[in-house]
Amino acid sequence: MLEHLKDQPADKILALIAAFRDDPRKDKIDLGVGVYKDPTGLTPVMRAVKTAEYKLWQTQDTKTYTGLAGDPAFADAMIGLILKGAVARDRIAAVATPGGTGAIRQALELIRLAAPEATVWLSNPTWPNHPSIIKYLGMKSAEYRYFDEASRDVDFAGLMADLVGVRAGDVVLLHGCCHNPTGANLNAAQWAEVIALLKARGAVPLVDIAYQGFGDGLDADALATRAVAAGFDECLIAASCSKNFGVYRERTGLLMAVARDAKEQKTAQANLNFLNRQNYSFPPDHGARIVTMILTDPELRADWEAELEEVRLNMLTLRQSLAAELQRLTNSDRFGFVAQHRGMFSRIGATPAQVEQMRAEHGIYMVGDSRMNIAGLNAATVPILAQAIVASGA
Ligand code: LMR
């Protein structure tokens, strides 16, 4: 049997982890996978997470199964964090999932159950695992323009022109904040236009929100997702705790399905539970429990919010100093977009050959489409990267 298998293409983002690890150069710089690093290069366990884990160790007296949807307290806490009352609770079905990828996968499986013929629209570009999972599930997809290569900002005219092609019942995947891989985001007025257009087309939005708190703040980063949830009869929201709680390897995420009414919510919930059962039975609990403890304990929550804000401001400072250094070196505002982008990533606009050159000559690792993880920098490496970008001709 196994002899019939073909090799699978390596995931381009994950392949960078191994390539970086195997590079013997001491001064190499890792701007690849979307993992936060502090100025010393460490991905820390957040203070509130440590405290919650210690409390959990002291108080947890069983590890028996939770429910198929995970602990309902986790869903309540996350729905509060993300939607903050934007939609009546009895319209929201929710399941815990193994990370944000698990939420995306379960969302797509739910769509396939409910509407196998629906086309899923993706921004061009998007996180490469989106089209990969869709293809694997045998679903139809289409692209809408998103990024203007010249300004490195959102191609809003192109986006609106393409979304006019959405048919009733199609699903449109939107990044709630901190667009991955570009770092370019819609402003509030543009979100309102997108929502109005998609409503008129009869679309079902699927919001991927993986970086809440990494852009303009916890609340600001959720505003678009709240507007979507409040604006449509139905939508899906896939959330990740990997980044904003730093619990990457615990695999902690939530999928919400906002239904038309409480009756349809019940059926949606039963289908989400069914999908969990088919794929892995009960979702992982440890990370979800830690997140619940943090969100429901005022002291822990305040500490978590404070540390998350430090993380956000650190990335913002790095953006500003990289943009300033590039301005100094080029004597132009060509790279001003780096300071305007939000979240972990910016697509710098280098060609694959230029990305390769930066890796070969300077040991700088970024994704081939020139997506760089801003958090991989520190005060000492910002000027080195700026020099390398300019030298590459990008
Ligand atoms: C990324 O885009 O780098 C992260 O979301 C990690 C991943 O799984 O790709």
Side-chain angles (χ1 to χ4, degrees):
M1 172 191 80
L2 299 181
E3 73 272 17
H4 299 303
L5 292 174
K6 297 189 185 70
D7 267 349
Q8 295 290 347
D11 182 289
K12 291 202 172 68
I13 296 175
L14 302 185
L16 277 178
I17 299 177
F20 181 80
R21 193 190 47 218
D22 296 343
D23 187 331
R25 284 173 286 186
K26 289 249 174 335
D27 56 354
K28 59 190 176 176
I29 301 172
D30 182 10
L31 308 179
V33 70
V35 167
Y36 176 75
K37 291 192 209 120
D38 69 13
T40 71
L42 183 76
T43 303
V45 181
M46 294 180 88
R47 296 185 299 259
V49 169
K50 267 274 182 228
T51 310
E53 283 184 319
Y54 183 59
K55 277 193 186 178
L56 185 63
W57 177 77
Q58 286 176 311
T59 55
Q60 189 170 50
D61 50 15
T62 180
K63 285 195 186 282
T64 186
Y65 291 124
T66 54
L68 277 180
D71 181 358
F74 172 63
D76 286 343
M78 287 292 288
I79 288 168
L81 177 71
I82 298 166
L83 293 182
K84 221 180 189 177
V87 180
R89 181 66 183 88
D90 66 359
R91 282 181 55 208
I92 309 172
V95 278
T97 56
T101 307
I104 290 288
R105 171 67 187 257
Q106 297 299 69
L108 291 167
E109 294 226 15
L110 187 74
I111 294 161
R112 197 173 57 162
L113 266 185
E117 289 306 313
T119 295
V120 182
W121 290 73
L122 302 172
S123 66
N124 178 15
T126 190
W127 183 50
N129 218 15
H130 288 149
S132 178
I133 298 173
I134 288 171
K135 188 169 163 219
Y136 178 66
L137 291 175
M139 298 169 74
K140 289 191 216 159
S141 69
E143 285 179 349
Y144 59 90
R145 274 171 283 174
Y146 187 81
F147 193 57
D148 175 29
E149 296 287 349
S151 64
R152 278 103 181 199
D153 198 355
V154 175
D155 174 5
F156 190 63
L159 174 150
M160 291 297 280
D162 289 348
L163 290 182
V164 168
V166 168
R167 285 164 316 175
D170 280 355
V171 173
V172 179
L173 197 154
L174 302 159
H175 296 226
C177 63
C178 306
H179 186 268
N180 179 4
T182 67
N185 296 289
L186 300 173
N187 62 34
Q190 291 170 330
W191 270 110
E193 281 189 56
V194 169
I195 289 170
L197 173 64
L198 293 183
K199 263 180 99 156
R201 305 301 307 160
V204 179
L206 162 56
V207 180
D208 184 353
I209 178 160
Y211 296 91
Q212 188 183 357
F214 273 34
D216 292 310
L218 265 179
D219 262 324
D221 290 348
L223 289 181
T225 306
R226 289 174 195 162
V228 169
F232 287 81
D233 289 343
E234 292 184 329
C235 71
L236 300 169
I237 300 165
S240 171
C241 302
S242 299
K243 324 274 164 153
N244 52 6
F245 288 87
V247 290
Y248 304 86
R249 64 172 67 162
E250 300 299 350
R251 310 313 298 139
T252 309
L254 186 82
L255 172 62
M256 294 173 238
V258 178
R260 216 165 257 120
D261 53 38
K263 184 167 162 280
E264 289 189 10
Q265 181 273 354
K266 282 206 168 51
T267 314
Q269 185 67 59
N271 278 271
L272 290 177
N273 292 1
F274 168 79
L275 286 174
N276 266 10
R277 181 65 169 159
Q278 302 319 302
N279 283 326
Y280 38 76
S281 276
F282 300 86
D285 178 72
H286 182 78
R289 199 156 293 274
I290 297 303
V291 166
T292 310
M293 288 171 74
I294 293 171
L295 290 177
T296 55
D297 176 317
E299 226 172 285
L300 280 181
R301 185 171 179 140
D303 192 30
W304 169 67
E305 288 190 7
E307 189 170 359
L308 180 58
E309 189 63 2
E310 286 165 28
V311 162
R312 186 180 80 80
L313 293 177
N314 182 36
M315 288 187 289
L316 212 51
T317 305
L318 289 167
R319 283 188 178 286
Q320 284 154 356
S321 45
L322 180 60
E325 189 61 15
L326 284 163
Q327 191 202 33
R328 199 180 65 77
L329 292 177
T330 62
N331 207 13
S332 80
D333 285 332
R334 235 162 23 97
F335 292 99
F337 63 88
V338 172
Q340 304 308 318
H341 286 172
R342 283 295 178 272
M344 282 198 127
F345 308 118
S346 269
R347 185 185 260 202
I348 196 80
T351 63
Q354 290 164 337
V355 169
E356 187 45 48
Q357 184 188 335
M358 285 189 261
R359 186 198 307 198
E361 291 176 8
H362 306 278
I364 294 171
Y365 285 75
M366 60 179 78
V367 184
D369 64 359
S370 82
R371 184 195 86 169
M372 52 178 195
N373 173 10
I374 288 287
L377 291 168
N378 59 37
T381 53
V382 162
I384 299 170
L385 173 65
Q387 285 277 5
I389 291 172
V390 174
S392 78

